[in-house]
Amino acid sequence: MSVDDALPEQTRRRRADKGHTAGVKAVAAAAGVSLGTVSNVLNRPEMVSPLTRAKVEAAMASLGFVRNESARQLRAGSSRILAYLMLDAGNPFFTDVAKGVEEAAQAAGLSVFLCNSNEDVDREADYLDLLEQQRVQGILITPVDQNSSRLRKLPSRGTPVVVVDRALDDAEHCSVAVNDVLGGELAITHLLELGHELIAFVGGPNTIGQVVDRRDGARSALEKNERSAKALIELTTGALTVAEGRGAGQRLAGLPVDRRPSAVFCANDLLALGLLQQCVSMGLRVPEDVAIVGYDDIEFAAAAAVPLTSVRQPRQLLGRTAAELLLDESSNPDHEHQRVTFTPELVVRTSTRGAI
């Protein structure tokens, strides 16, 4: 007798007519076990004998049983899902961070929701509200607005939050970041050592903390090398994208030769790659006419037509470490908030030193 034959006639007819999804009662009837046994197979399989477990699993497969995770979440009060709310899904840096998050989540038997604020404060706020309503186990976020009241209230309402790629000096959150001030110093010191006297900083908007820190690092390097602050020309962008980088490249190329910076430090690699494309298209040689340093060291940096010098961040390690902190906070009553800061590394390529 098949599993379907063991079902009441009314149930079989309803499933055939309407594509009805079998529930735990149908599974129990088909396998000839109690509802409690089915529940144990789903939630505590080690408590069920191998023979009985195999019988229940066979019934589930035959009936096309799909576990109702929403109902389980409602009973438990939380889900087995982490969320990562990233700043820009179009930037490979954040997708690399997400890979690290997924590694840690998978090892813990959890799933990951990936959300994209697209550098929009309102969109970020909407996602935070939605994720809290969905009772996710915790939220990882690279914030547009690190001072968001929603962001700061979530932990006190039961949703742990870990801030990624941004250091927060507060008592409510763990954070995992790279020392972006040091990263800016590394980039500008490298350009000064190559003999550049006038350097452009390309980045924005200035509401993004990473941009501010990298610019502050650039200014710090000038001061440490006893150079005037006027040696840094700021070209502010509306976003951290390739298109904005092209626009900055056009502005740079349009400056009179005697006032044109001979080197550029960009707040991320997408800006640097757009700027590089625009400069080359307008006849400027890289690095002979303009040297370029990016930030993040995404995969495309090394693969560019002119390989890009960049400040490297440990992208997947950032995500994995942040997720591990979030998992600890959500399950460990003795959890203590941590502020983890990694050290950046300058990777020198053709865009600043030519053929090396």
Side-chain angles (χ1 to χ4, degrees), residues 32-50:
V33 299
S34 68
L35 288 174
T37 299
V38 176
S39 177
N40 282 337
V41 169
L42 289 170
N43 301 298
R44 296 172 293 277
E46 70 281 356
M47 297 181 64
V48 184
S49 71

Side-chain angles (χ1 to χ4, degrees), residues 12-347:
R12 282 189 280 125
R13 188 164 52 247
R14 185 169 63 247
R15 287 185 64 229
D17 293 344
K18 299 183 179 181
H20 177 74
T21 300
V24 291
K25 289 183 179 180
V27 172
V33 299
S34 68
L35 288 174
T37 299
V38 176
S39 177
N40 282 337
V41 169
L42 289 170
N43 301 298
R44 296 172 293 277
E46 70 281 356
M47 297 181 64
V48 184
S49 71
L51 183 61
T52 301
R53 189 164 66 243
K55 187 190 303 183
V56 172
E57 289 172 346
M60 290 176 177
S62 179
L63 293 171
F65 171 81
V66 178
R67 178 175 183 149
N68 189 337
E69 181 63 17
S70 296
R72 191 208 66 79
Q73 290 176 201
L74 187 62
R75 290 191 300 272
S78 66
S79 71
R80 295 190 59 77
I81 294 172
L82 302 182
Y84 176 34
L85 179 48
M86 62 182 73
L87 195 64
D88 178 10
N91 186 339
F93 168 80
F94 293 109
T95 54
D96 285 345
V97 171
K99 290 177 183 177
V101 173
E102 287 180 319
E103 287 177 8
Q106 186 176 33
L110 303 181
S111 301
V112 179
F113 280 166
L114 298 180
C115 310
N116 175 31
S117 70
N118 204 34
E119 300 182 18
D120 185 309
V121 173
D122 293 333
R123 185 167 172 171
E124 176 181 274
D126 289 343
Y127 267 125
L128 289 175
D129 288 344
L130 176 63
L131 293 171
E132 184 179 26
Q133 291 163 14
Q134 293 295 317
R135 299 294 190 270
V136 295
Q137 188 164 326
I139 299 173
L140 300 133
I141 181 172
T142 303
V144 181
D145 177 13
Q146 68 189 54
N147 296 313
S148 163
S149 59
R150 282 182 177 84
L151 189 63
R152 296 185 178 275
K153 289 177 181 177
L154 282 170
S156 65
R157 295 206 296 246
T159 304
V161 174
V162 173
V163 176
V164 186
D165 195 37
R166 189 79 191 115
L168 288 188
D169 189 14
D170 64 26
E172 290 85 26
H173 304 94
C174 286
S175 64
V176 180
V178 169
N179 187 339
D180 283 324
V181 174
L182 176 59
E185 290 181 357
L186 290 174
I188 297 301
T189 299
H190 171 62
L191 294 172
L192 292 174
E193 289 174 347
L194 292 174
H196 295 285
E197 298 290 337
L198 188 60
I199 301 170
F201 173 75
V202 173
N206 291 326
T207 52
I208 297 176
Q210 293 91 326
V211 172
V212 174
D213 283 353
R214 293 165 195 179
R215 184 192 60 201
D216 288 348
R219 291 171 175 172
S220 175
L222 291 175
E223 184 177 348
K224 288 181 179 179
N225 285 273
E226 298 181 345
R227 304 295 179 90
S228 168
K230 294 181 180 179
L232 190 70
I233 306 298
E234 295 185 28
L235 299 177
T236 303
T237 61
L240 300 169
T241 62
V242 170
E244 288 286 335
R246 291 195 193 102
Q250 189 164 13
R251 281 184 278 163
L252 181 78
L255 293 174
V257 175
D258 61 341
R259 291 196 291 114
R260 182 190 303 151
S262 61
V264 182
F265 169 42
C266 295
N268 78 350
D269 284 343
L270 295 185
L271 286 172
L273 291 169
L275 184 136
L276 188 154
Q277 292 173 4
Q278 189 65 34
C279 286
V280 170
S281 71
M282 298 183 74
L284 293 178
R285 298 169 300 164
V286 179
E288 292 85 358
D289 296 322
V290 57
I292 303 174
V293 179
Y295 204 107
D296 292 337
D297 195 35
I298 61 175
E299 185 176 349
F300 298 132
V306 180
L308 183 66
T309 293
S310 185
V311 179
R312 175 179 292 168
Q313 302 197 71
R315 303 179 298 280
Q316 291 191 34
L317 181 58
L318 276 170
R320 187 165 62 251
T321 302
E324 288 169 351
L325 287 173
L326 187 62
L327 290 168
D328 185 70
E329 182 173 353
S330 66
S331 62
N332 179 8
D334 298 321
H335 172 83
E336 294 184 3
H337 291 313
Q338 297 181 48
R339 181 180 179 181
V340 180
T341 304
F342 293 104
T343 301
E345 173 190 358
L346 181 72
V347 181

